[in-house]
Amino acid sequence: MLNLLRAEVRKILGHRGLAVLLVWLWPVGGVLLPLILLVLALFPSPSADRRLPIEFRWTDVALGAWAIPTNLVGRFLFIALAAAIFSGEYQWSTWKNLVPRADRARLLLAKYLAFAALTVFAFGLTSLLLPIGMGAVQAVRGLPYPPRPTPDVVQTFIGNYLVQVALTVLNTMIGVSIAALSAMLTRSILGGIIGGTFFVFGEIGLVTALIALGIFLHSPQIADTARFTSAINIANISSWVQYGQPVYLQVQGTGTNSLVGSFVILLVWLIVLVGIMLTVFQRQDLM
């Protein structure tokens, strides 16, 4: 399995476009953004105070780096990357050379693990470089860089950081699963992107429709089913990390999900999607 994982990592990094968008773009951005702000701080203009926030918090900066893949644009980008990675084997007709050397489940899981490992590496490095750079910006401006790293602050930050990392990985892998399943069924990059896009927009539309229907029919039970969608639970975990409270559906009588409950629901989503993918892949004719 380790050899398959190494091979997948080398394969992804060997494609310059995929490597740049999946891995290298984010750490480079984590260096360039503070440099731009540093130039603005060193050469202030009359409007500089309006362009630069008064205060940056290193905890928010570090956590913010991990939030990039969980927003709408980030989800679309990683869906497109996953579609390219999984459908490439079909378009290049390489599955027939790989399948005789290893069972299909391990081949598929190796792609998953490679994608997850590179994502963690990219955003882990970004979350390290960005706070350091923003600290330099604050130092040049002669402003503090709160909060002070007291034991309580550090403990809270580590807990929130690990939760945000877990959310990013789960969110990314769910998007990867949808894109990969679509790519498998259509055997094309475009099919994977369309399938993933349909899922993202479809889920947002479903949540909106359930809430609207619940309000119209005065039935909180209908609106409450939105709490089991991946979109609501991704937003719910982010809300717990940022504000210490759950997402409310704005419908009287509906419940809320706990932090642990949202993680359980997302894990169920991922397990079901991976199971469907493995079933489809095992039955496909790749020759």
Side-chain angles (χ1 to χ4, degrees):
M1 187 65 188
L2 189 58
N3 290 334
L4 288 174
L5 179 59
R6 288 172 181 166
E8 287 298 332
V9 170
R10 287 197 301 268
K11 190 185 300 182
I12 294 172
L13 295 180
H15 293 278
R16 292 183 180 179
L18 291 176
V20 168
L21 292 174
L22 179 61
V23 182
W24 308 123
L25 175 65
W26 313 108
V28 170
V31 173
L32 286 181
L33 179 59
L35 284 177
I36 293 171
L37 296 179
L38 196 59
V39 170
L40 293 176
L42 289 171
F43 304 100
S45 66
S47 61
D49 290 336
R50 293 197 301 269
R51 284 186 290 173
L52 288 177
I54 295 175
E55 180 180 276
F56 293 103
R57 297 173 60 86
W58 63 269
T59 50
D60 294 340
V61 173
L63 291 173
W66 284 100
I68 295 171
T70 63
N71 62 41
L72 193 59
V73 176
R75 294 187 80 183
F76 281 131
L77 176 60
F78 281 83
I79 282 171
L81 293 173
I85 289 171
F86 280 83
S87 66
E89 305 290 357
Y90 293 98
Q91 297 194 345
W92 302 321
S93 299
T94 50
W95 275 133
K96 61 184 178 181
N97 298 323
L98 296 172
V99 169
R101 301 179 183 180
D103 66 85
R104 297 189 180 198
R106 288 198 300 151
L107 286 170
L108 204 59
L109 291 176
K111 283 189 177 293
Y112 261 98
L113 292 176
F115 200 102
L118 290 174
T119 300
V120 169
F121 170 77
F123 288 98
L125 185 57
T126 305
S127 72
L128 175 65
L129 295 173
L130 197 55
I132 293 173
M134 299 309 294
V137 173
Q138 291 297 88
V140 167
R141 298 170 69 198
L143 296 175
Y145 195 33
R148 291 184 60 188
T150 62
D152 288 341
V153 167
V154 172
Q155 183 178 0
T156 301
F157 170 73
I158 291 174
N160 288 339
Y161 188 89
L162 293 176
V163 169
Q164 185 64 57
V165 172
L167 171 61
T168 299
V169 172
L170 271 175
N171 165 73
T172 303
M173 290 300 99
I174 288 172
V176 167
S177 300
I178 296 295
L181 181 58
S182 301
M184 282 182 181
L185 295 173
T186 62
R187 305 195 179 208
S188 71
I189 296 175
L190 183 60
I193 295 173
I194 291 174
T197 302
F198 180 80
F199 171 78
V200 172
F201 275 118
E203 194 174 38
I204 294 173
L206 176 63
V207 170
T208 304
L210 288 172
I211 293 175
L213 196 60
I215 295 174
F216 180 74
L217 297 177
H218 303 288
S219 174
Q221 292 81 6
I222 294 176
D224 222 29
T225 56
R227 292 195 295 122
F228 298 96
T229 62
S230 66
I232 285 293
N233 284 285
I234 290 167
N236 190 60
I237 294 173
S238 295
S239 180
W240 275 110
V241 172
Q242 295 177 23
Y243 310 113
Q245 63 181 23
V247 167
Y248 296 94
L249 298 180
Q250 305 302 322
V251 178
Q252 188 174 6
T254 57
T256 59
N257 290 343
S258 66
L259 182 64
V260 174
S262 284
F263 269 116
V264 170
I265 291 171
L266 290 179
L267 277 172
V268 170
W269 267 93
L270 183 59
I271 291 170
V272 170
L273 287 171
V274 172
I276 294 172
M277 279 185 60
L278 288 172
T279 301
V280 170
F281 192 51
Q282 292 283 7
R283 296 178 178 180
Q284 272 191 324
D285 181 11
L286 304 175
M287 301 301 176

